[in-house]
Amino acid sequence: MRLSVKHILSVILLSLSALVAKAQFAEIPAYSFVDTAADTIAYYGQSASTFKPFYRAFRSMVIGGQRQINIYHIGDSHLQADLFTGQVRKNLQSFMPGVSGARGMLTPFMKGGPDSYSLSYSNGWSATSILSSSDSDNKGLWGTTVYTSSSNQSINIKVNHRNPVKYDFNTFRVYHSALNDGDNLMVDDLNVGYSKRYNAEEGYTEFNLSDYVSEIKIVIEKSSLSTFYVYGFYFDNQEGGVVYNVTGTNGVGASHYNNAKLFTPHLASLKADLVIISLGTNDTYEAGGENTFEQNLSKLVSNVRKAHNNIPILLVTPMENWWHKKQANPRMQATIDIINKVAQANDCAVMDMYKVMGGKGSAKKLQQNGLMQGDLVHLTAKGYALQGDLFYNALWREIENNISK
């Protein structure tokens, strides 16, 4: 009996649905204040149509096992330590055995970075971040920039430092300022062969290795006293799976990313399937911030779409936080209203983390349950793991509902 193409496709999609259904949602502990019923994603404007290519990409990855799904999560101090986002990454990279993706972006923190990778610097380096208004021409997607005016300076990177998932790589990019005549960016102490390509237009040097490694030593030899800037790193292995990239810096808001001149060019140089924005805590922490947040967030969304036209964007509301430990921030509802308004005007989806984590009065409850720190702004490691699982469940539910359509 001959089977029609339509019939074969139906069988494939049914098999796909069965495979995806086997993926487990994260188990959420029973906290009376956590609203799991609100753990959903709402589509504003025409955002549902912008997410269709993302779900099709997931379908391609599951069927073929080769497709990389590239997600970029942009935020503040809640993302800097990569506890919340690290939990999301772990869940997304473990639903299908053998399809774990690559490590992707690593930020050149000199202090305060994630524990899942390590960087060590020779003595000639200094650091700055997008929180500083100076030298915006040398600020970009990664949020932190390191720089040196000395020659023969090195950076050692261990990608798998205390990381539950091992990300050996055979290609990586160093995003940096322009190389002058006589400058040489190279790798040292490497036991495998490599080639390199300098892309002056997009501002990076790409190294391709003859075998997989887990750490690298980068050296810059300079021919002048000019300052050399390193904006960030990107590690790849060309393997299928979810590449969950994170950029987050303590104290920043949407305006800081907007002021970083290299933010959009950097994002444009990288493949992207979904952008997630988790901001608002710092934007409206002080009185008056709510008056500029809408404009700043709208501009950030616009800058993302300049890099990748019509890309799906998911906005995440902040949790309840306290103003200088004196009272719950009275601008929380205004912050959420602004995020929803920006989503409606710009065809973005929204995940209401404020409501899911308990809404009004939840900060103290989170603290009493060992989920929030004493500053009543940041979560504990346990709290960020919970937040990561809740976010993953909301996102995975949408993938599961749409992947076979």
Side-chain angles (χ1 to χ4, degrees):
M1 179 180 69
R2 271 189 172 177
L3 296 177
S4 67
V5 172
K6 184 177 181 181
H7 181 77
I8 293 171
L9 182 59
S10 297
V11 171
I12 290 173
L13 292 179
L14 284 171
S15 300
L16 176 64
S17 298
L19 175 62
V20 171
K22 289 181 180 179
Q24 298 295 312
F25 286 93
E27 184 176 348
I28 305 300
Y31 295 106
S32 60
F33 51 89
V34 172
D35 188 353
T36 54
D39 194 16
T40 59
I41 290 174
Y43 297 99
Y44 284 74
Q46 302 300 311
S47 60
S49 64
T50 70
F51 272 76
K52 289 180 180 178
F54 174 69
Y55 299 132
R56 286 197 296 268
F58 246 96
R59 180 194 308 175
S60 177
M61 181 191 73
V62 172
I63 291 175
Q66 298 300 313
R67 175 68 153 86
Q68 280 192 349
I69 308 295
N70 296 281
I71 299 174
Y72 293 83
H73 200 151
I74 299 164
D76 47 32
S77 57
H78 293 297
L79 272 60
Q80 180 169 323
D82 198 31
L83 296 173
F84 159 34
T85 45
Q87 187 74 7
V88 181
R89 183 187 299 110
K90 183 184 74 171
N91 289 336
L92 285 171
Q93 292 182 339
S94 61
F95 84 94
M96 187 173 173
V99 184
S100 59
R103 186 59 175 89
M105 287 175 58
L106 294 187
T107 300
F109 292 113
M110 293 191 74
K111 61 179 181 179
D115 198 39
S116 58
Y117 64 90
S118 70
L119 302 101
S120 57
Y121 296 83
S122 56
N123 292 329
W125 294 93
S126 299
T128 185
S129 80
I130 56 174
L131 194 60
S132 168
S133 60
S134 63
D135 201 13
S136 61
D137 289 343
N138 285 298
K139 308 290 175 61
L141 175 63
W142 283 261
T144 291
T145 298
V146 293
Y147 59 94
T148 183
S149 297
S150 304
S151 187
N152 197 30
Q153 295 297 307
S154 64
I155 305 174
N156 287 273
I157 308 169
K158 294 182 179 180
V159 175
N160 292 331
H161 181 69
R162 297 181 183 175
N163 202 325
V165 179
K166 300 306 177 187
Y167 301 100
D168 289 0
F169 57 91
N170 63 351
T171 182
F172 70 96
R173 291 179 180 181
V174 181
Y175 282 78
H176 56 81
S177 56
L179 293 173
N180 298 316
D181 290 341
D183 290 350
N184 185 22
L185 182 64
M186 58 185 184
V187 295
D188 198 8
D189 298 337
L190 189 64
N191 294 322
V192 301
Y194 74 92
S195 61
K196 65 178 180 179
R197 177 178 64 93
Y198 174 39
N199 187 326
E201 182 179 353
E202 296 189 343
Y204 64 81
T205 296
E206 183 173 272
F207 294 84
N208 293 289
L209 314 181
S210 62
D211 202 354
Y212 292 88
V213 299
S214 61
E215 57 184 274
I216 204 80
K217 180 180 181 181
I218 301 163
V219 178
I220 176 66
E221 292 182 344
K222 295 172 67 274
S223 61
S224 68
L225 296 177
S226 62
T227 302
F228 179 76
Y229 296 87
V230 172
Y231 309 120
F233 311 102
Y234 192 93
F235 291 87
D236 202 356
N237 54 20
Q238 288 85 46
E239 295 179 5
V242 177
V243 185
Y244 201 92
N245 301 283
V246 176
T247 176
T249 303
N250 185 38
V252 305
S255 65
H256 298 101
Y257 286 106
N258 293 334
N259 293 335
K261 299 292 180 61
L262 296 174
F263 174 87
T264 299
H266 282 162
L267 185 58
S269 74
L270 295 162
K271 295 178 181 179
D273 297 290
L274 171 66
V275 171
I276 304 162
I277 300 175
S278 294
L279 292 170
T281 299
N282 299 308
D283 304 80
T284 61
Y285 191 72
E286 299 293 347
E290 69 276 16
N291 299 328
T292 57
F293 182 41
E294 180 182 346
Q295 179 182 352
N296 292 333
L297 183 59
S298 297
K299 184 177 180 180
L300 180 57
V301 168
S302 175
N303 287 338
V304 168
R305 291 244 169 91
K306 286 178 183 176
H308 294 281
N309 185 40
N310 209 37
I311 192 169
I313 297 176
L314 173 58
L315 306 180
V316 184
T317 65
M319 305 167 297
E320 183 183 68
N321 60 79
W322 277 46
W323 181 76
H324 299 288
K325 296 192 287 188
K326 295 180 179 179
Q327 61 175 343
N329 189 334
R331 292 167 288 280
M332 289 304 306
Q333 189 58 53
T335 303
I336 295 162
D337 291 345
I338 289 168
I339 290 172
N340 291 335
K341 184 178 179 181
V342 170
Q344 181 67 41
N346 295 277
D347 300 324
C348 301
V350 175
M351 192 264 187
D352 193 351
M353 190 65 75
Y354 174 80
K355 186 175 183 180
V356 173
M357 293 292 280
K360 187 175 181 181
S362 60
K364 279 289 188 179
K365 295 174 185 177
L366 287 163
Q367 184 192 35
Q368 290 163 2
N369 283 271
L371 301 170
M372 181 167 272
Q373 298 180 35
D375 63 1
L376 294 172
V377 174
H378 299 95
L379 297 176
T380 61
K382 181 181 177 183
Y384 281 124
L386 171 64
Q387 186 183 45
D389 284 340
L390 287 164
F391 180 83
Y392 162 76
N393 281 356
L395 182 59
W396 184 255
R397 188 173 294 107
E398 292 303 304
I399 294 169
E400 184 182 66
N401 291 339
N402 289 278
I403 195 170
S404 59
K405 289 183 180 179

